[in-house]
Amino acid sequence: MSQDCIRLEFKVDSENFASAGSASESVKTQLKLLGIGSSDVRRVAIAMYEGEINMVIHADGGKATVEIYHDRVEIILADRGPGIADIALAMKEGYSTAPEDIRALGFGAGMGLPNMKKNSDEMRIESKLGIGTTIYMTVRLT
Amino acid sequence: MTDVKKLIEILNAETINFSENREITTGYCGDFLSFVISKAPVGAAWFTVMSNVNVAAVALLAEVPAVVLCEGVKPDEGLSARCKAEGINLISTELDAYGASVILGNEIK
Ligand SMILES: Nc1ncnc2c1ncn2[C@@H]1O[C@H](COP(=O)(O)OP(=O)(O)OP(=O)(O)O)[C@@H](O)[C@H]1O
Ligand SMILES: [Mg+2]
């Protein structure tokens, strides 16, 4: 039983900027239906939203996979964008390469990756310049 | 403590979407969405000048009882539609974020 999981997959589209966040919203709905506590749902939704938006803004979209286990939620965000040259720098609060038109929408505080770190129990970034970025996050259910 | 109905009244605000009268215990001012997500306290009315559809996603994540567009800013079409669909209270005031905050602060104290 403990190995059973619910697996959800989403294509994160960069074309439709207006609907960015729809994958994290679906996950939020699903977790609520499963009766998962609201603070856990909130952490998953925030971690995933920030990652989803980053794929839209910085990487031309990508793929999100979410696995819901009885004790944790695993989130994998994979894109074939430009990659991150310096991961430690990207993780710093306030670091952002968001262009002006994106900042005008309210993005670009350089707080997305720190928010993902804060709202997950484990987070790992794999990135290669010119190849893409994959981010693994685990949120343990309390 | 106050609520959304009272806030609309004291800010002399235009109601763009009113879904449910929720309690307001404090406020939060900010236009950078990732700050709002991580810092807006529970029960805070969110004062902003951002008016695009992403505001709705953030309002849901931060679970704010109301979004207050300041400086007479009007929402774009996507935002008002989204707020109606998702049941997010959205209002607009001519006041700036400071002016609106002071009024809310006086009401709460
Ligand atoms: N998937 C990605 N592909 C390529 N670069 C990325 C990716 N995600 C993040 N980055 C880089 O890391 C930086 C920091 O990301 P972070 O999410 O913290 O801030 P931001 O997206 O710029 O602003 P905010 O999230 O506060 O709106 C980005 O500006 C970008 O340079
Ligand atoms: Mg970001």
Side-chain angles (χ1 to χ4, degrees), chain A residues 49-51 53-55 57-58 96 107-113 116, chain B residues 34:
Chain A
Y49 176 79
E50 293 283 15
I53 289 289
N54 277 354
M55 290 200 294
I57 292 176
H58 306 295
S96 174
F107 300 107
M111 291 298 294
L113 288 171
M116 289 157 75
Chain B
S34 290

Side-chain angles (χ1 to χ4, degrees), chain B residues 54-94:
Chain B
N54 299 287
V55 165
V58 171
L60 288 175
L61 285 173
E63 294 166 25
V64 296
V67 179
V68 184
L69 301 181
C70 299
E71 317 259 10
V73 164
K74 302 297 177 213
D76 67 20
E77 231 169 77
L79 178 59
S80 42
R82 198 66 193 284
C83 287
K84 283 180 184 129
E86 305 277 359
I88 299 164
N89 295 317
L90 179 67
I91 68 178
S92 163
T93 176
E94 295 297 326

